[in-house]
Amino acid sequence: MSSNKVAVIIPVKNGASFLGECLQSILEQDFTNFQVCIFDDGSTDTTPEIIDKFSIRFIQRGIDFRHKREHTSRGVGYAKNQAVELSDAPFICFCDADDLALRDRVRIQYEECLRMPEPENCLLGSFFCRVPDGSTSRFTSWACKLNESQLYTQNL
């Protein structure tokens, strides 16, 4: 069992054009008590090489980096579940391969969960922004305005 508090879960398929920036933003977190669990769902581009390159960087920083690859794609749900299976931390932080995390994201979300009466049953979301600015503006506006009860009832 790991002593890591948070598992950053990253499913990816053919993410070579943006995965490096995503992993760099996770590598630069101001919180280090986490592990990265990445599942490559049958990429045919250079995604595996990017994962290998960043694996070394995370390990050098003392961050547990776990990854698995399958050669055939089984879908994003399967990939997320497989990445979760790689983890053994009590808290999970989902991060898509084309997301960039602010430097304090993992720490702030972890600390916020700990403030809840039952942190082990915490589901935490956060605001986000799109790059370029204004892309998918209707979705962004809708998702960032959900109240607590809507977080449990809305379908994407």
Side-chain angles (χ1 to χ4, degrees):
M1 181 86 166
S2 169
S3 63
N4 293 302
K5 301 296 183 189
V6 178
V8 178
I9 303 299
I10 306 172
V12 62
K13 178 182 177 185
N14 293 332
S17 62
F18 39 77
L19 181 60
E21 288 180 277
C22 170
L23 291 174
Q24 186 63 39
S25 75
I26 299 299
L27 185 63
E28 294 173 356
Q29 291 296 298
D30 66 3
F31 181 78
T32 58
N33 197 351
F34 69 94
Q35 61 188 198
V36 174
C37 300
I38 187 165
F39 184 83
D40 181 357
D41 189 37
S43 292
T44 57
D45 62 3
T46 60
T47 292
E49 290 84 0
I50 293 168
I51 292 170
D52 289 341
K53 178 175 97 174
F54 274 91
S55 174
I56 295 165
R57 291 181 185 176
F58 278 94
I59 291 167
Q60 287 174 337
R61 188 162 176 230
I63 297 170
D64 184 7
F65 190 90
R66 303 172 182 201
H67 59 98
K68 183 177 178 184
R69 177 174 192 235
E70 287 198 10
H71 294 283
T72 56
S73 177
R74 297 187 58 190
V76 68
Y78 177 81
K80 282 185 178 187
N81 287 334
Q82 291 300 302
V84 169
E85 287 292 321
L86 292 172
S87 73
D88 62 3
F91 290 92
I92 294 173
C93 174
F94 287 104
C95 185
D96 288 339
D98 60 349
D99 289 347
L100 299 177
L102 296 176
R103 183 171 163 72
D104 54 1
R105 176 191 177 191
V106 176
R107 178 182 51 79
I108 288 174
Q109 288 181 328
Y110 173 69
E111 290 172 352
E112 190 61 31
C113 282
L114 293 181
R115 286 192 248 293
M116 301 296 163
E118 297 180 33
E120 67 279 2
N121 295 320
C122 176
L123 172 64
L124 180 66
S126 62
F127 294 110
F128 59 90
C129 60
R130 295 288 189 178
V131 176
D133 190 34
S135 62
T136 65
S137 59
R138 289 188 330 166
F139 173 77
T140 303
S141 177
W142 169 79
C144 288
K145 290 179 182 174
L146 294 174
N147 64 38
E148 185 175 348
S149 67
Q150 290 172 319
L151 287 172
Y152 294 98
T153 60
Q154 298 300 301
N155 293 319
L156 297 178

